[in-house]
Amino acid sequence: MGDQSHLAPYSYLLIENNILRLGNKVAVGPFCGFFCHSNYFSEPGIPFCDSYVDGNILIGSNIFIGAQCIILPDTHIEDNVIVGANSLVKGTLENGHLYAGIPVKKIKRII
């Protein structure tokens, strides 16, 4: 975790053997979940018992993540990004944009 960064109360971090990295000036709202290791449904197998997905979560600097967001494996949030509350995040969020929704979508440029 970088300088001047914080996780609000009730954040959940499931890292296992992966990497969760937060840059400088990252503000995470309450009740956010970061899942580097998660259940995954695939055929064949028993859902939620035999199938898992693993991946790193890399978060840049100057980031605001609103309350109750879920960040899934293999996510990269570049610098200068805002993530709206209650968003489901997976993939790459590009520098300088506002994102929100389930699944998260680019809303507008902020810088």
Side-chain angles (χ1 to χ4, degrees), residues 13-21 34-39 52-58 71-75:
L13 311 175
L14 181 56
I15 301 169
E16 284 281 322
N17 296 315
N18 301 289
I19 296 170
L20 170 58
R21 183 176 66 212
F34 295 82
F35 296 88
C36 292
H37 175 80
S38 183
N39 296 93
Y52 299 95
V53 62
D54 284 279
N56 299 327
I57 297 174
L58 307 175
I71 315 297
L72 295 174
D74 289 326
T75 293

Side-chain angles (χ1 to χ4, degrees), residues 15-85:
I15 301 169
E16 284 281 322
N17 296 315
N18 301 289
I19 296 170
L20 170 58
R21 183 176 66 212
L22 281 70
N24 299 321
K25 298 182 181 177
V26 175
V28 177
F31 297 99
C32 288
F34 295 82
F35 296 88
C36 292
H37 175 80
S38 183
N39 296 93
Y40 178 76
F41 179 75
S42 65
E43 296 289 336
I46 301 170
F48 313 116
C49 294
D50 292 336
S51 300
Y52 299 95
V53 62
D54 284 279
N56 299 327
I57 297 174
L58 307 175
I59 298 176
S61 295
N62 196 30
I63 305 294
F64 176 80
I65 298 174
Q68 299 182 355
C69 288
I70 302 296
I71 315 297
L72 295 174
D74 289 326
T75 293
H76 178 203
I77 300 176
E78 296 179 355
D79 297 338
N80 309 305
V81 170
I82 297 172
V83 180

Side-chain angles (χ1 to χ4, degrees), residues 62 79-83 95-99 108-111:
N62 196 30
D79 297 338
N80 309 305
V81 170
I82 297 172
V83 180
N95 178 43
H97 288 86
L98 165 67
Y99 290 83
K108 69 177 185 176
R109 185 146 187 81
I110 56 173
I111 61 166

